[in-house]
Amino acid sequence: MSLHHITLTINGAVERATVPANLTLLQLLRETLALTGTKNGCAAGECGACTVLLALPGAERGEPVNSCMVLAVECDGAAVVTVEGLAHDHQLDPVQQALLEAGGVQCGFCTPGVLISARALLDRNPRPSEAEIREALVGNLCRCTGYLRIIAGIQAAAQLGAPAGPAA
Amino acid sequence: MLKTHPTPARGPVGESVARLDGQEKVTGAAQFADDIQFGPGLLHARILRSPHAHALIKRIDASRALALPGVRAVVTGEQTPGYIGLYLQDRHIFCRDRVRYIGDPVAGVAAVDEQTAEKALDLIEVEYEPLPAVFDPVAGTRPDAPLLHPDLGQYEAVNFIFPKPNTNISNHFKIRRGDVAGAWAQCAAVVEREYRVPHIQHVPIEPHVAVAKWDEKGKITLWASSQSPFAQRNLIAKALHISQSQIQVVAPYVGGGFGAKAGVSMEALAVVIAGAVKGRPVKLRLTREEEFFTTFVRQGLVARFKLGCDTEGRLLALENTYYWDAGAYTEYGVNMTRAGGYSGTGPYDVPNVSVDSICVYTNHPVGGPMRGFGMPELHAGLEQAMDDLARSIQLDPVEFRRRNCIRGGDTVATGMTMHPTGLPDCIEQAAAAINWGHKAPPSAPTKRRGKGFAIMWKAPAMPPNAGSSARVQFNEDATVTVSVGGQEIGQGTFTVMAQMAAAALGVPYEWVKVAGPVDTDYSPYEWQTVASRLTWSMGNAVKAAALDARRQVLEMVAQAWKENPDDLDIVNGQVISYKTEEARSLKDIVIYGLPNPDGDGWIGGPVLGRGSFMPTYVTGLDAETGQGPRAVVHYTTGAQAVEVEVDLETGKVEVLRGVAAFDVGKAINPEMVKAQMEGGLVQGISTAFFEGLKLKDGRVQNPSFVDYRIATAADAPPQVEAIIVEVAQDDGPWGARGIGEHSMVPTLPAIANAIYDAVGIRMDAPPFSAEKVFMAMRQAGVVQ
């Protein structure tokens, strides 16, 4: 397997890595960098537990992607935000705070992906309708909550406004 | 003078405090089993699985796999002569002479990485001799059916399970009460129905992960996503013929369990493989595909109901037969069958009862515990048949349930006296909340609306003497560490335990933490995190431990202050005297004790409370009649109602509104109780419309999220109302009993009843896909 040198920004910090061509972004995060907040639920792009914000070079802002379906080599020069990068200076992102307060967290395994999808939604649409919130979450499977408190949390986060720090 | 109350009822019990584990779960800091770092010495395991539903293993040759660079070990059934199982020891960790389902583990490989391990699987040669198989539970009971477990008579079983040697029936639970045969003549209406419930899978979003390591002395450490660290230690030790103390199970947060991670499934595989590479940790992580059929699945069910009532709608007789498609091994499933038997009437007062609940081996994936433990499956058909019976005498289905539901003081079908229950209140509240009896107009002329109702009961199903224990200890700053062996699987048990400890001690909730991860070397014993039993059972242990610590503090202070402990109290972290109005912070007391008031030296010392709980009153039941004084510890009861809209053009059913009302005894954390009710209802919706393992000749056709759909955010109804009813449990902490599983039990039949109310059709099996609903409407002439 050929090896590639890549440089990317993860949660604001520059990381350099030498990666085999078949290594996924999810594996880079979890196994190479020990950023284990991003979860592996299916490794097939179907459950959303591994969702991260990915801004390829030149992109204005990050888009939510299933990191299990992106190769690390494609992320050379990109900026990635994971769940570990949502809070700034010990200040939770409004979506983190609101999800907690709404009771939208149970086992917590889907939570990182849900939070990233919610952040991405609010970044591009600060006042989403309930239907838009549901649409934005369709790729994030949750087996515990029944989604209603997650939806309520994102609605509350929209009321709270923009996060404290830069997203990437 | 005020007297202290033995168990202070003050906060935070009954308050919706914030989750103890919330902050770490929203920041990505919460550690799950796959997140633990083992360094470069970690090996990776993969499993070779049977491609046959039923076959003899004639020969295994692993020499080519062992020769592959990077492979460190290959293990087979040769290394696992012992049997394993919770209630019936009917399986080997790796198959030895025979495979019994597609997916049965035949060999395990440890290699430097997953890819190499996967490659090695292809190099293991296995010669099979295929055998005739059983794919239907009713057919499996016939005398000419292929015999799947010729050694059934030799298997070790607990004393409340009754296997039938030389058949495929590993348990047959019976209730015989009253005169069923004579009662039919008295009935004004009799309904007979058959329903089928497909196998489904739990689908926790976190797949199973286990890492095992043996040291040179034979000490085994197992890190696993586990609902049952102590049961795993116990069962694996028995299977390997070693002492329980030789195994340490470390179990961090569980990313969803629903029963899939109870008992032992794939964890034992990791332990055996690691035994071949001592000193090296070995990780086995199931793929999502394996997750769908190689751990536990929920058993399939073929259910036959015969129900009769008089002209007033009073139930006179019930004759139900349940054939459980329990799969290749029924080590856990036998007890689901038992639970389905003793609770087989549903929450109804019926004088004449016959129930047969039959656990049948088939060559299907292994049936195991899943949220509800048999109750969703049997209520699915039962609650539809009850509706049909009510309608057959023109009685409103809710009124029918009012007249017949089980009440405190009734004798249930096993002979036990029903304890006080809020079921009648749940029925009233759910009916009122859904505005029962009023039909709103549909949103379009091509749609029809309907409402449906269902009730339920469920008891914790477990050995009669499943125990809990807890430790409550203070730190220097008077914060409190609670140690328990029950697991946080999302249900919020750590939060609830902290609330109980704080309330019993008299300290703020914020001072209490729960020690994690659960670790069998350090945590006190807990049977398993199953059966919705922790709030009640482990809660009793935590409360006892906190009261023990409180007593130690008060006795110490009483001695120092020369007072009677009865005049002292702990309030908000301070010891106070109601007599002298003296007060002192716990910080000064709980580790270092207090100076001796009579001269030199000190009294007291570090405060460490202990508590345990075990029900002692559950009795055996007669093998032929199912009769006995007390079958179970208690029943949690409840009711659900839904409003649906059926699209006549497509068959698509939308749930517009759901209402759930359950008697939880006492809601320790009301918002978390409501969250359980909501989550369960949506899981119930998911099973009603989407879920079912498609089995063809024993092979699961849809083992992926693309082909096995679960409810998404778009499928959750616009509105769910959760209603808490509180009729105290006599031996529950603050009166509490469990609610985790119950909330999905009545959802599916409530939806089926609502569809019937809307368009007048019944289907004999879920999932109620748009296509199936449309075809049923066409067949019934509802649409052209």
Side-chain angles (χ1 to χ4, degrees):
Chain A
M1 193 64 64
S2 62
L3 293 176
H4 302 263
H5 301 288
I6 61 169
T7 303
L8 70 172
T9 307
I10 298 176
N11 300 328
V14 175
E15 301 278 356
R16 288 184 180 78
T18 304
V19 299
N22 64 348
L23 193 81
T24 65
L25 175 58
L26 176 63
Q27 289 170 319
L28 175 72
L29 293 170
R30 288 186 55 83
E31 289 161 26
T32 312
L33 302 173
L35 280 168
T36 55
T38 303
K39 302 303 180 199
N40 178 355
C42 70
E46 292 160 4
C47 77
C50 67
T51 308
V52 299
L53 287 179
L54 174 65
L56 291 172
E60 207 167 296
R61 67 170 168 249
E63 293 295 329
V65 296
N66 286 318
S67 61
C68 69
M69 301 304 285
V70 176
L71 292 174
V73 289
E74 299 176 86
C75 300
D76 192 23
V80 174
V81 178
T82 71
V83 67
E84 290 97 336
L86 287 178
H88 292 280
D89 300 328
H90 304 290
Q91 181 88 33
L92 293 181
D93 184 289
V95 293
Q96 292 173 306
Q97 190 63 41
L99 200 71
L100 271 185
E101 287 170 8
V105 178
Q106 287 192 27
C107 83
F109 201 80
C110 76
T111 305
V114 164
L115 288 167
I116 293 290
S117 290
R119 180 75 267 147
L121 169 68
L122 296 180
D123 283 350
R124 65 172 188 270
N125 180 2
R127 288 294 157 94
S129 67
E130 187 184 325
E132 287 168 330
I133 294 172
R134 285 174 184 256
E135 178 64 30
L137 289 174
V138 157
N140 294 95
L141 297 179
C142 168
R143 195 61 156 167
C144 299
T145 66
Y147 303 101
L148 295 168
R149 284 167 192 263
I150 293 177
I151 294 164
I154 297 171
Q155 286 171 323
Q159 300 295 321
L160 289 173
Chain B
M1 190 184 66
L2 290 169
K3 279 284 182 189
T4 57
H5 194 277
T7 56
R10 61 202 166 210
V13 158
E15 289 177 20
S16 296
V17 301
R19 281 188 81 99
L20 205 64
D21 52 352
Q23 181 91 12
E24 54 187 316
K25 284 182 174 174
V26 296
T27 55
Q31 197 171 49
F32 296 83
D34 197 32
D35 301 340
I36 304 171
Q37 303 295 307
F38 290 91
L42 181 68
L43 297 176
H44 298 266
R46 300 291 299 139
I47 304 297
L48 181 69
R49 299 180 179 282
S50 167
H52 298 285
H54 193 197
L56 295 176
I57 299 174
K58 305 306 285 182
R59 181 182 67 92
I60 302 181
D61 182 355
S63 54
R64 286 175 60 216
L66 278 165
L68 185 72
V71 170
R72 293 290 176 267
V74 178
V75 303
T76 66
E78 239 178 90
Q79 280 89 353
T80 58
Y83 284 95
I84 193 164
L86 186 64
Y87 294 103
L88 170 72
Q89 291 177 32
D90 68 352
R91 64 197 296 195
H92 295 292
I93 297 172
F94 282 96
C95 298
R96 285 169 66 81
D97 58 336
R98 188 190 285 251
V99 292
R100 294 181 174 88
Y101 75 100
I102 294 173
D104 222 351
V106 172
V109 174
V112 291
D113 55 43
E114 275 185 316
Q115 282 169 308
T116 306
E118 188 76 40
K119 247 186 238 168
L121 299 185
D122 293 338
L123 302 176
I124 302 172
E125 293 166 26
V126 186
E127 193 185 318
Y128 296 99
E129 181 187 323
L131 297 171
V134 174
F135 298 125
D136 177 89
V138 180
T141 63
R142 292 186 191 127
D144 59 344
L147 198 58
L148 306 194
H149 287 262
D151 296 333
L152 179 57
Q154 277 86 60
Y155 294 158
E156 212 176 291
V158 294
N159 64 7
F160 48 88
I161 296 298
F162 307 105
K164 289 185 164 178
N166 303 314
T167 76
N168 290 318
I169 298 171
S170 56
N171 194 29
H172 185 159
F173 185 92
K174 299 175 199 168
I175 296 180
R176 299 289 181 266
R177 184 174 185 81
D179 175 15
V180 175
W184 300 120
Q186 323 285 317
C187 292
V190 174
V191 153
E192 286 186 76
R193 296 284 184 273
E194 179 173 311
Y195 298 95
R196 285 177 173 259
V197 181
H199 294 79
I200 65 170
Q201 220 277 329
H202 313 64
V203 193
I205 308 302
E206 176 200 34
H208 284 69
V209 181
V211 181
K213 182 181 157 184
W214 295 52
D215 74 12
E216 294 304 328
K217 289 178 187 163
K219 164 88 188 263
I220 302 164
T221 309
L222 171 65
W223 295 264
S225 175
S226 170
Q227 296 176 239
S228 308
F230 286 90
Q232 290 179 347
R233 176 178 80 164
N234 185 34
L235 299 185
I236 293 171
K238 280 182 179 165
L240 300 182
H241 305 298
I242 61 175
S243 159
Q244 282 86 349
S245 66
Q246 264 178 271
I247 305 183
Q248 175 184 12
V249 182
V250 183
Y253 288 130
V254 173
F258 312 105
K261 294 161 183 171
V264 176
S265 59
M266 50 74 79
E267 302 80 14
L269 301 172
V271 168
V272 171
I273 297 169
V277 285
K278 289 195 174 63
R280 299 286 295 270
V282 177
K283 178 183 279 194
L284 177 61
R285 181 170 58 184
L286 296 192
T287 64
R288 181 54 66 180
E289 184 183 351
E290 287 178 303
E291 196 70 23
F292 274 104
F293 64 96
T294 71
T295 64
F296 287 128
V297 300
R298 194 175 83 179
Q299 304 179 133
L301 174 65
V302 177
R304 291 174 185 162
F305 303 95
K306 185 175 180 185
L307 314 170
C309 67
D310 66 15
T311 51
E312 302 298 305
R314 261 175 261 286
L315 278 168
L316 296 182
L318 174 154
E319 188 176 78
N320 295 352
T321 307
Y322 304 127
Y323 293 95
W324 300 90
D325 185 339
Y329 305 98
T330 64
E331 47 107 349
Y332 212 137
V334 285
N335 200 39
M336 234 128 25
T337 316
R338 184 173 188 270
Y342 61 63
S343 296
T345 58
Y348 292 94
D349 180 24
V350 198
N352 303 294
V353 174
S354 170
V355 173
D356 290 273
S357 187
I358 304 163
C359 190
V360 188
Y361 283 122
T362 61
N363 294 107
H364 279 153
V366 181
M370 183 176 166
R371 191 177 201 172
F373 208 70
M375 296 305 111
E377 301 94 300
L378 77 86
H379 283 73
L382 179 68
E383 282 296 276
Q384 295 185 66
M386 289 289 181
D387 247 45
D388 287 347
L389 184 63
R391 287 173 190 274
S392 73
I393 55 158
Q394 284 80 47
L395 187 61
D396 175 80
V398 169
E399 180 56 29
F400 176 86
R401 289 178 172 88
R402 263 187 209 115
R403 291 184 191 177
N404 289 295
C405 77
I406 198 90
R407 290 162 196 269
D410 286 349
T411 303
V412 307
T414 54
M416 166 180 145
T417 303
M418 185 66 185
H419 55 79
T421 176
L423 181 56
D425 197 21
C426 292
I427 293 173
E428 294 314 321
Q429 295 216 41
I434 203 78
N435 202 12
W436 185 259
H438 300 272
K439 205 178 258 196
S443 64
T446 54
K447 295 182 176 181
R448 295 287 179 272
R449 284 202 181 185
K451 289 180 183 176
F453 205 89
I455 61 177
M456 66 78 63
W457 71 352
K458 185 194 176 292
M462 54 192 201
N465 55 345
S468 296
S469 56
R471 207 161 55 226
V472 169
Q473 63 198 90
F474 280 101
N475 305 302
E476 293 89 331
D477 56 3
T479 58
V480 177
T481 303
V482 175
S483 299
V484 290
Q487 182 60 287
E488 178 54 69
I489 65 174
Q491 83 283 48
T493 200
F494 283 6
T495 305
V496 163
M497 294 305 129
Q499 287 180 262
M500 290 187 185
L505 281 169
V507 304
Y509 165 72
E510 293 73 21
W511 290 17
V512 184
K513 69 168 184 176
V514 174
V518 174
D519 182 325
T520 56
D521 271 13
Y522 300 100
S523 306
Y525 178 84
E526 181 65 52
W527 178 61
Q528 293 194 92
T529 299
V530 296
S532 306
R533 58 182 280 280
L534 291 191
T535 299
W536 162 75
S537 181
M538 191 163 83
N540 274 327
V542 166
K543 182 179 170 187
L547 290 177
D548 183 35
R550 181 176 180 276
R551 178 188 57 79
Q552 293 173 36
V553 171
L554 295 184
E555 283 176 2
M556 185 198 323
V557 175
Q559 197 187 340
W561 292 358
K562 297 185 182 299
E563 289 200 55
N564 185 330
D566 290 346
D567 297 330
L568 303 178
D569 199 356
I570 304 175
V571 177
N572 205 24
Q574 280 208 322
V575 183
I576 59 168
S577 165
Y578 291 116
K579 201 170 168 185
T580 65
E581 295 187 359
E582 197 168 340
R584 188 155 185 182
S585 167
L586 282 173
K587 280 179 204 169
D588 305 328
I589 303 170
V590 289
I591 296 290
Y592 305 113
L594 286 165
N596 184 351
D598 295 324
D600 290 340
W602 294 77
I603 56 171
V607 173
L608 174 61
R610 59 164 288 275
S612 61
F613 175 77
M614 190 181 86
T616 53
Y617 44 72
V618 173
T619 62
L621 303 176
D622 183 84
E624 291 307 314
T625 65
Q627 300 299 298
R630 187 146 179 191
V632 299
V633 290
H634 57 253
Y635 280 99
T636 295
T637 58
Q640 280 182 355
V642 297
E643 182 176 13
V644 304
E645 192 164 77
V646 182
D647 189 328
L648 296 176
E649 293 181 325
T650 63
K652 186 173 166 31
V653 181
E654 191 185 353
V655 177
L656 304 173
R657 206 147 57 102
V659 175
F662 286 88
D663 175 15
V664 301
K666 165 75 183 173
I668 306 297
N669 187 314
E671 284 304 313
M672 291 198 340
V673 166
K674 289 181 179 177
Q676 285 303 306
M677 289 194 209
E678 296 164 10
L681 193 142
V682 175
Q683 197 168 9
I685 287 175
S686 189
T687 60
F689 292 125
F690 310 124
E691 296 185 43
L693 290 172
K694 291 178 188 156
L695 284 155
K696 194 176 174 208
D697 299 332
R699 185 177 303 279
V700 174
Q701 308 286 305
N702 55 340
S704 78
F705 281 133
V706 170
D707 299 315
Y708 185 109
R709 180 152 133 54
I710 65 169
T712 70
D715 304 308
Q719 204 192 331
V720 174
E721 186 178 347
I723 298 165
I724 294 170
V725 170
E726 295 179 318
V727 174
Q729 177 61 33
D730 63 354
D731 68 346
W734 289 272
R737 64 175 87 81
I739 178 62
E741 299 164 278
H742 312 79
S743 51
M744 80 176 281
V745 174
T747 315
L748 188 152
I751 289 170
N753 290 340
I755 294 171
Y756 183 84
D757 186 48
V759 292
I761 57 159
R762 289 276 179 206
M763 290 158 283
D764 67 350
F768 309 132
S769 63
E771 182 189 6
K772 191 185 280 183
V773 172
F774 184 80
M775 296 306 281
M777 288 194 297
R778 204 156 72 172
Q779 203 170 8
V782 180
V783 296
Q784 297 306 307

